[in-house]
Amino acid sequence: MDKEFISVREIQLLYADTDMMGVIYHANYLKYFELGRSGLIEDLGYSYVEMENAGYFAPVYDIQATYKKPLRYGDKGFVKTWIEKNDGIKTIYGYSIINGDEEVCAEGSSTHIVVKKDNFRPIAFKKAFPEWFLRYEEIKKK
């Protein structure tokens, strides 16, 4: 078994992403979560585009975010992503947004299910993508 795997991506913090208080607007953190999720998938050698081409989507079922410290334009920002839970039906990705001083600015999770593209009916991840599912099992948080 492999150890827990954490993907890290740098976030480009744009001036356009700030609010009137000069901090990164809260909704942008969901975009950063998605950057982390797609980065983790890519790091493992899989492709969301290939999932779609095979006739499936992995929509968000639930999302949660807790804000701890503001990120500001000019800061360095990174998203760390890991597999929190993977039960064959739902996959929960965990996220930590950190600044250049490695302080946690936000934490959260997103839960995804796999659905068929043509009818949007759920299908077990482990049935649709057995190899991908097993790889998540190897690296998920213990």
Side-chain angles (χ1 to χ4, degrees):
M1 281 270 169
D2 291 349
K3 292 168 50 174
E4 175 185 346
F5 178 83
I6 298 176
S7 174
V8 179
R9 288 288 188 277
E10 185 166 3
I11 301 166
Q12 185 177 9
L13 301 174
L14 303 174
Y15 184 78
D17 292 337
T18 62
D19 61 17
M20 288 184 65
M21 296 178 286
V23 301
I24 300 299
Y25 179 65
H26 70 276
N28 286 312
Y29 288 81
L30 302 182
K31 184 172 64 173
Y32 305 151
F33 288 178
E34 182 58 23
L35 171 68
R37 184 177 80 93
S38 59
L40 181 139
I41 291 168
E42 182 181 287
D43 286 350
L44 295 174
Y46 297 100
S47 166
Y48 189 77
V49 171
E50 288 176 16
M51 177 186 275
E52 287 187 355
N53 290 341
Y56 300 93
F57 291 126
V60 174
Y61 177 80
D62 184 58
I63 198 154
Q64 180 274 326
T66 302
Y67 304 97
K68 308 232 177 217
K69 180 180 178 82
L71 273 173
R72 299 180 187 282
Y73 178 71
D75 287 349
K76 289 265 188 194
F78 302 88
V79 57
K80 293 182 176 184
T81 309
W82 60 91
I83 302 300
E84 188 72 32
K85 184 177 179 186
N86 184 48
D87 68 10
I89 303 296
K90 296 178 194 167
T91 300
I92 301 175
Y93 297 83
Y95 308 98
S96 183
I97 307 288
I98 60 170
N99 63 21
D101 295 324
E102 297 194 26
E103 299 169 309
V104 176
C105 298
E107 296 176 314
S109 65
S110 65
T111 304
H112 298 259
I113 59 172
V114 176
V115 298
K116 292 182 179 183
K117 242 173 134 172
D118 59 353
N119 60 16
F120 232 70
R121 290 187 184 207
I123 184 167
F125 180 42
K126 63 183 175 182
K127 180 179 179 186
F129 299 95
E131 180 186 306
W132 195 341
F133 168 79
L134 289 174
R135 184 67 178 128
Y136 276 14
E137 283 294 290
E138 292 174 350
I139 64 154
K140 72 181 177 183
K141 190 172 182 180
K142 305 297 183 229

